[in-house]
Amino acid sequence: MTRPLPDDLLKVPHRRDVSFARLTTLGVGGLCRWLFEPTTEPEAQAFVRTCAREGLPWRVLGGGSNLVVLGDLELPVLRLAFPKEIQRQGNQVRTPASHGHIALAEAAAAMGLSGLEFASGIPGSLGGAIRMNAGAYGREWVDVLSHFRFLTPEGDLVEKAPEPGEFSYRWSFLTGGRVVLSATADLVEGDAVKIRAQVAEYREKRGTSQPLSKRNAGCIFKNPPGQSAGRLIDQADLKGLRIGDAEVSPEHANFLINHGKATAAEFAELMEQVRAKVLEVSGVALEPEVEIWQESLLS
Ligand code: EPU
């Protein structure tokens, strides 16, 4: 991008030249030239409104747990930095989208509220989790979502309850310039000891089946209907396939891990090789769960 950013945008808190390696859980990627970090809803709204008015392409980033960025990005990136406060009203908790997802699940458990146990091992921000209707162990966000606030691509603020067709497996309509601002979960009062035990059991299961001690981006591909991407990749004998420091995890085939010095390009290449091989062996075209950003494809 060669033209200067509009003054209205520069009033929103921002940082320059932040490495995506620090902004993503895989720890790879080029520079984020313009990282906008609004601390209030009006600041976030000003960002989206200004970009819409100026016809500026931009992207929103959450906890970076599902993202690989190839090269540097000149286009503005929005990452909410709202105060970390969870508001409880009865059995509902309302949480800003920038709150850590695991931290929210832990806070709900500490309050003796049941319903978010499934979320206790899913990294990233709450906004990212809502946006992709994150789930585990047969539960997903839409099961507990009472209502949510978001900005439209024009920067208008909407608060609503989920409706049929808005959320499905690892998908929601909250893409394409929509920004989740906060979400309210409908939980039930439970026994804090039992809730903690369930959280511990999920952790234990995850810890034994997933390579959590290495940098990763969770599952790389979506499960095709009725099938498991992990099993398909495993059956194609791809565990341990390695390009540089990027490897298909020997523990769980649907995880790619960074041994330390991997690059975004190595991960993109590894994903492509896995996709091609699984297609050849089983005839299934895997769809990525992670996003790949590249300036030339986003602007
Ligand atoms: N499997 C293999 N080989 C492997 C990995 C798995 O044969 O290398 C088999 C397992 O034995 C099992 C089946 O595949 O029979 C399913 O595996 P698993 O129970 O690990 O669940 P998954 O379908 O691979 C899903 C979610 C995970 C979530 C777990 C637990 C997706 C794409 N993945 O994994 O979510 O943690 O269930 O609920 O929906 C994520 O979304 O990033 C993620 C990690």
Side-chain angles (χ1 to χ4, degrees):
M1 188 184 314
T2 45
R3 66 179 160 140
L5 294 179
D7 287 345
D8 283 352
L9 209 54
L10 297 176
K11 286 182 198 147
V12 178
H14 58 276
R15 286 188 283 157
R16 303 290 320 266
D17 294 342
V18 182
S19 169
F20 277 108
R22 299 177 68 91
L23 298 170
T24 60
T25 56
L26 260 185
V28 296
L31 289 179
C32 179
R33 296 279 189 207
W34 294 95
L35 181 65
F36 287 85
E37 296 178 303
T39 57
T40 64
E41 286 189 355
E43 282 176 358
Q45 193 167 27
F47 174 93
V48 176
R49 280 237 160 99
T50 306
C51 289
R53 189 189 69 215
E54 303 283 328
L56 264 178
W58 56 278
R59 283 299 181 276
V60 61
L61 174 69
S65 60
N66 239 340
L67 177 67
V68 176
V69 184
L70 285 163
D72 299 341
L73 278 198
E74 289 289 342
L75 53 73
V77 172
L78 174 69
R79 190 174 75 149
L80 306 179
F82 295 166
K84 285 189 176 57
E85 53 193 20
I86 298 174
Q87 291 168 353
R88 176 175 181 180
Q89 245 191 349
N91 290 341
Q92 291 196 328
V93 290
R94 174 178 169 151
T95 312
S98 49
H99 202 285
H101 192 233
I102 292 175
L104 166 60
E106 280 169 354
M111 289 176 201
L113 290 174
S114 174
L116 286 177
E117 294 87 336
F118 78 90
S120 59
I122 304 176
S125 68
L126 170 64
I130 300 290
R131 189 206 133 142
M132 69 167 312
N133 190 22
Y137 305 112
R139 302 270 290 167
E140 55 188 13
W141 251 99
V142 68
D143 298 335
V144 291
L145 188 58
S146 163
H147 52 283
F148 53 101
R149 285 161 78 81
F150 70 98
L151 294 172
T152 66
E154 295 73 39
D156 297 328
L157 202 149
V158 179
E159 177 155 355
K160 71 188 297 296
E163 284 174 62
E166 288 180 346
F167 295 85
S168 60
Y169 169 70
R170 297 297 190 275
W171 179 90
S172 84
F173 76 111
L174 291 160
T175 55
R178 295 182 183 91
V179 180
V180 183
L181 296 173
S182 69
T184 301
D186 238 336
L187 305 175
V188 288
E189 220 157 324
D191 175 345
V193 175
K194 278 196 191 141
I195 297 169
R196 286 219 184 89
Q198 181 68 79
V199 165
E201 189 192 317
Y202 284 160
R203 283 247 165 91
E204 159 87 21
K205 259 197 197 169
R206 252 184 132 90
T208 52
S209 66
Q210 302 180 357
L212 303 182
S213 62
K214 287 270 189 296
R215 298 196 79 150
N216 69 80
C219 285
I220 294 290
F221 295 98
K222 295 182 187 185
N223 282 340
Q227 286 179 297
S228 155
R231 187 180 298 128
L232 290 168
I233 300 167
D234 198 350
Q235 284 168 352
D237 210 14
L238 291 166
K239 277 184 169 172
L241 177 68
R242 185 163 172 163
I243 301 179
D245 257 359
E247 186 188 24
V248 177
S249 164
E251 281 177 72
H252 193 299
N254 200 14
F255 277 65
L256 301 188
I257 50 177
N258 182 355
H259 283 285
K261 295 196 168 63
T263 65
E266 286 167 355
F267 278 112
E269 172 60 23
L270 199 52
M271 281 176 68
E272 181 45 36
Q273 288 192 16
V274 168
R275 204 197 56 78
K277 184 77 181 171
V278 168
L279 185 61
E280 182 194 317
V281 171
S282 60
V284 179
L286 291 177
E287 234 187 89
E289 184 181 287
V290 298
E291 286 191 21
I292 296 193
W293 290 359
Q294 189 171 13
E295 181 87 18
S296 58
L297 302 177
L298 299 178
S299 306

